[in-house]
Amino acid sequence: MKIAVVGAGAMGSLFGGYLSQKNDVYLVDIWAEHVQAINENGLKIEEQDGQIRIFHPKATTDAKTVGVVELAVVFVKSIQTIEAMEENISLIGPDTMVLSLQNGYGNDADIRKFVDKKNIVLGTTAHGCTMKEPGFVYHAGVGQNHIGPVSSDRNAAEIVAAVLNECDLITDVSDDVMKLVWNKLFVNVGINAITALIDRTNACIADNPCANAVSKALVYEAVATANAGGANFDAATVFANVVEVARKTGLNRSSMLQDVSKKRKTEIDKINGAIVKEAEAHGVDVPANRLIVNLIHAKE
């Protein structure tokens, strides 16, 4: 299959490398040094056991050189989705499937501006990856992918799952993809902004009683928002999962903390900001999320 990965940061590179084992893969990214390193030396992926594997996807800064693909995997930051789709529209044909494993809420709505919803697949991944240097990433965590269709048509999701599974990226298909998206969003809502503001790793959500209390307020508001829109989550169960994820990933620096540390724009508007937006639509009061969005923007 001809595949383009739009946004070849750490996670995009990981998936592109693995997919290149049995597919014609193009990594599309604006980082010229990274693109050059991949084309000259291959893409190096260091596994958790220390093994370094070398893959050979093609890489480019210009999507027009690639042409239409069968599958586009979007790995840019959620705040960049519309811009990335506009700039790489030459990859998209009438039958192109688009997979988003991005953080945040609302990526499907952004992609629907460019792609028929029957060809859009959303999901979550438990893999973790960090960039070591141009052309070299560290596969920090191995896990399962859960994906599902945006429409009632499962065909695209089934095809994408088969492609991922064939390349050692274990994936299942769910009929309730929005439940997956919400569960991932709850984790990001309860961890990312707090760690970014107090400059601590994820463990603070489990170990610091003050950070834990703020996280609980944010998550409970998010659950109330989701339930107002027709979901049926139990807030206590959801928050217990957030704390467990924070404990298991205790040494991790969240993506938002990394962004703040490097003075980059964060994804706050697609995480806690998405809760504020959805809450307004359903008449739910979310003062904690509104406050933390303003604090992150102030820090930016």
Side-chain angles (χ1 to χ4, degrees):
M1 179 178 284
K2 185 177 181 181
I3 301 173
V5 178
V6 180
M11 289 295 293
S13 295
L14 173 69
F15 273 70
Y18 271 62
L19 287 169
S20 70
Q21 296 176 99
K22 297 189 177 183
N23 300 279
D24 182 21
V25 174
Y26 297 80
L27 301 182
V28 183
D29 199 273
I30 61 173
W31 188 12
E33 191 177 3
H34 184 50
V35 166
Q36 182 180 353
I38 292 169
N39 288 330
E40 290 182 354
N41 306 309
L43 172 65
K44 293 187 290 184
I45 298 179
E46 180 181 352
E47 302 291 352
Q48 289 177 300
D49 62 2
Q51 177 189 10
I52 296 178
R53 305 173 67 186
I54 299 178
F55 300 87
H56 294 280
K58 305 174 188 71
T60 183
T61 58
D62 185 2
K64 294 184 180 66
T65 64
V66 177
V68 172
V69 298
E70 295 166 86
L71 170 63
V73 185
V74 182
F75 262 119
V76 298
K77 287 185 176 296
S78 55
I79 56 173
Q80 300 168 339
T81 302
I82 292 178
E83 180 184 1
M85 293 299 296
E86 288 174 341
E87 292 181 351
N88 297 286
I89 196 63
S90 60
L91 299 170
I92 308 300
D95 298 317
T96 300
M97 298 173 289
V98 177
L99 169 65
S100 166
L101 295 172
Q102 300 161 277
N103 284 336
Y105 182 85
N107 294 301
D108 57 321
D110 291 342
I111 295 171
R112 275 206 303 268
K113 300 178 190 296
F114 307 92
V115 180
D116 190 308
K117 69 177 183 178
K118 70 179 176 61
N119 291 329
I120 302 174
V121 181
L122 293 183
T124 64
T125 178
H127 285 274
C129 197
T130 57
M131 185 70 66
K132 298 193 71 170
E133 61 185 52
F136 189 12
V137 301
Y138 173 58
H139 193 181
V142 179
Q144 191 164 349
N145 309 302
H146 305 282
I147 65 174
V150 170
S151 71
S152 58
D153 187 345
R154 287 173 55 102
N155 185 58
E158 295 286 0
I159 293 172
V160 171
V163 171
L164 292 170
N165 280 316
E166 191 177 30
C167 295
D168 308 316
L169 294 165
I170 305 305
T171 305
D172 63 24
V173 178
S174 170
D175 287 320
D176 191 359
V177 68
M178 292 315 299
K179 183 176 182 180
L180 301 176
V181 172
W182 273 112
N183 275 317
K184 182 177 182 181
L185 183 61
F186 294 143
V187 170
N188 290 331
V189 160
I191 295 176
N192 291 19
I194 300 169
T195 60
L197 288 169
I198 67 174
D199 191 17
R200 292 291 184 270
T201 62
N202 291 2
C204 72
I205 304 300
D207 299 336
N208 182 319
C210 296
N212 181 274
V214 176
S215 178
K216 183 175 182 178
L218 295 170
V219 171
Y220 271 59
E221 287 181 359
V223 170
T225 300
N227 289 348
N232 186 28
F233 293 102
D234 177 71
T237 301
V238 168
F239 181 60
N241 178 64
V242 171
V243 174
E244 183 62 19
V245 170
R247 184 175 287 111
K248 286 182 177 178
T249 61
L251 296 178
N252 287 5
R253 289 167 55 84
S254 74
S255 59
M256 196 172 295
L257 173 55
Q258 293 181 55
D259 285 339
V260 165
S261 299
K262 296 177 181 177
K263 301 188 185 305
R264 297 187 301 221
K265 186 172 175 61
T266 73
E267 294 181 291
I268 190 68
D269 287 334
K270 289 286 190 176
I271 300 177
N272 302 81
I275 300 303
V276 173
K277 184 177 180 180
E278 285 293 305
E280 288 175 349
H282 298 295
V284 178
D285 190 25
V286 289
N289 279 276
R290 192 181 302 278
L291 173 62
I292 211 155
V293 168
N294 285 330
L295 287 171
I296 290 292
H297 281 314
K299 197 165 184 68
E300 289 174 334

